[in-house]
Amino acid sequence: MLELVEKLYSTGDLSDGELAALIETDDKEATELLKEYADKTRQKSYGKKVFLRGLIEVSSYCKNNCLYCGIRRGNTEADRYRLSREDILKCCENGYELGFRTFVMQGGEDAFFTDEFLCPLISEIKAKYPDCAVTLSLGERSYESYKRLKEAGADRYLLRHEAAAQELYSKLHPEEMSLQNRKDCLFALRELGYQVGAGFMVGAPCQTTEHIIADLRFLQELQPQMIGIGPFVPHHKTPFADEKGGTLELTLRLLGILRLMFPKVLLPATTALGTIAPNGRELGLQTGCNVVMPNLSPVMVRKKYDLYDNKICTGEEAAECRGCLERRIESAGYEIAQERGDCIK
Ligand code: SAM
Ligand code: FES
């Protein structure tokens, strides 16, 4: 197994069979070596820097019904909210003071967030904070809409592909949703000049090693600037309430593999990883991650952006997210970089 890690480190790729073996191995030495090489690789490109993204959860309304997601349309008990323009600007003001140089507006697919609403807001944020990047994560939209939002000043777009294998995609989403459309959106975003983030959940119900390899191959084809992966965590009011969640071990394994396959990519240690293990994000940082996304949403709404059970950083203490993360990043041996944190070419 050690030779597979050596090969991945030196060539950046493996055959499907080799990837499967590495994904499934319980060889402790190989796991350690993968972690060591992942860290070496991130340090070669980014040193000890960790980039912060201030996450503003703009809406918990969603027209979609993804089977895994706590804010799916079918969850009639979900507490819905949406932030106003003023709320969002206030989050940015607060975030800028805290040292954030990227704002991520994320939400369910909420028809309230039209181009007419978003474009002037994006332009205003860019005018007020010209040294900041604006990232959107608002789901699938038309090419024309993505184009308008880009022209208004948006820099980046996060849209996890969720599952590149049709078989798995169909098990995680209702029939009305289309994998092809999701992929088309990602290629459109790339063509329009966005810095693009794709990704998937680890340990989603019915996910096999072959499905994960399909995800890795799709990411090689897309070559996104950012890759977001985190464990699937069940939500009690979804059809997957009784399914098992993704594990820390597999998520870390895949983060290490991704770092070696994509040496310069931006790789977040996600909130979901911090949810399944108290030191999950620190371990992520030590296994190739170089981004964290602290919550900048008003504390009042944080519990309502309820994607999965036991989500961290949603209580009163969360107002202090920035300080908490700074301590965690430093304890893991890294340092916060107060900059936009673009992907190096
Ligand atoms: N609506 C936008 C979209 O579809 O990209 C952004 C919001 S969506 C809630 C953000 C991400 O949350 C999804 O891409 C999905 O991977 C993740 N997510 C949803 N439910 C989850 C769960 N139960 N466990 C872990 N991650 C989940
Ligand atoms: Fe739309 Fe989760 S189903 S954000």
Side-chain angles (χ1 to χ4, degrees):
M1 204 47 63
L2 290 176
E3 65 283 0
L4 288 186
V5 181
E6 294 286 354
K7 181 173 171 193
L8 182 58
Y9 178 57
S10 55
T11 67
D13 204 2
L14 292 175
S15 70
D16 285 5
E18 290 169 332
L19 274 174
L22 188 56
I23 291 169
E24 291 177 358
T25 186
D26 52 13
D27 183 322
K28 288 209 167 54
E29 268 183 81
T31 304
E32 267 311 303
L33 189 66
L34 182 63
K35 185 176 175 189
E36 184 188 321
Y37 280 166
D39 189 49
K40 219 169 162 176
T41 304
R42 73 91 83 192
Q43 293 216 34
K44 228 183 270 170
S45 311
Y46 293 98
K48 293 200 175 283
K49 284 184 186 174
V50 176
F51 302 122
L52 299 180
R53 311 314 196 195
L55 184 64
I56 309 171
E57 297 157 334
V58 296
S59 174
S60 69
Y61 285 90
C62 190
K63 74 173 174 52
N64 288 335
N65 218 11
C66 308
L67 275 76
Y68 45 83
C69 183
I71 61 168
R72 66 201 297 269
R73 171 185 88 220
N75 181 5
T76 51
E77 288 177 36
D79 215 342
R80 308 287 175 177
Y81 74 92
R82 69 170 62 93
L83 299 185
S84 67
R85 174 182 163 280
E86 291 71 27
D87 294 332
I88 295 170
L89 287 169
K90 190 81 203 142
C91 291
C92 295
E93 191 187 319
N94 181 23
Y96 193 84
E97 274 170 28
L98 288 169
F100 296 108
R101 295 296 176 265
T102 292
F103 304 118
V104 183
M105 283 191 256
Q106 186 184 85
E109 289 194 22
D110 178 357
F112 177 84
F113 287 89
T114 57
D115 297 347
E116 290 66 33
F117 176 88
L118 289 167
C119 289
L121 175 61
I122 294 166
S123 304
E124 188 171 344
I125 297 172
K126 291 292 290 186
K128 276 194 173 140
Y129 311 105
D131 53 338
C132 291
V134 169
T135 304
L136 303 176
S137 180
L138 299 168
E140 296 172 35
R141 303 174 74 95
S142 68
Y143 183 90
E144 278 312 310
S145 170
Y146 287 146
K147 187 161 183 275
R148 282 193 284 267
L149 300 174
K150 182 83 186 60
E151 285 163 358
D155 301 279
R156 310 183 184 135
Y157 206 101
L158 308 181
L159 184 77
R160 288 187 177 177
H161 63 279
E162 310 295 0
Q166 182 63 55
E167 183 193 38
L168 180 60
Y169 187 90
S170 306
K171 288 187 171 142
L172 303 180
H173 300 94
E175 232 173 88
E176 77 244 18
M177 289 181 74
S178 147
L179 173 59
Q180 192 55 51
N181 192 56
R182 195 104 184 149
K183 290 183 174 174
D184 289 348
C185 284
L186 281 162
F187 285 106
L189 289 162
R190 197 181 65 174
E191 183 200 312
L192 285 164
Y194 283 92
Q195 297 170 39
V196 173
F200 59 95
M201 290 180 298
V202 177
C206 305
Q207 186 185 55
T208 64
T209 302
E210 285 64 41
H211 295 142
I212 294 173
I213 293 170
D215 290 319
L216 300 178
R217 297 300 178 214
F218 173 71
L219 291 167
Q220 283 179 318
E221 183 192 342
L222 180 69
Q223 289 295 329
Q225 282 83 5
M226 177 152 160
I227 299 176
I229 68 161
F232 159 69
V233 185
H235 183 287
H236 63 287
K237 284 289 172 196
T238 64
F240 291 157
D242 297 324
E243 298 288 339
K244 277 207 203 77
T247 64
L248 177 68
E249 291 70 29
L250 184 57
T251 308
L252 293 174
R253 172 79 43 88
L254 290 172
L255 286 170
I257 290 174
L258 284 168
R259 174 50 72 206
L260 298 190
M261 290 177 83
F262 302 89
K264 297 191 171 159
V265 83
L266 294 161
L267 200 56
T270 59
T271 306
L273 188 57
T275 296
I276 62 162
N279 59 344
R281 285 169 300 176
E282 290 87 328
L283 292 170
L285 290 173
Q286 291 167 341
T287 316
C289 291
N290 59 345
V291 173
V292 286
M293 301 177 69
N295 199 332
L296 255 191
S297 312
V299 174
M300 290 263 296
V301 304
R302 287 191 193 181
K303 281 210 191 307
K304 302 183 188 174
Y305 197 74
D306 185 25
L307 307 183
Y308 46 81
D309 290 343
N310 306 316
K311 188 170 165 236
I312 53 168
C313 307
T314 60
E316 284 306 319
E317 83 292 349
E320 213 256 320
C321 253
R322 161 75 209 244
C324 164
L325 271 165
E326 189 161 339
R327 286 191 293 279
R328 286 171 182 275
I329 289 166
E330 283 169 6
S331 78
Y334 302 91
E335 63 205 31
I336 289 181
Q338 190 162 312
E339 51 185 279
R340 278 170 53 121
D342 290 301
C343 184
I344 54 178
K345 296 249 162 50

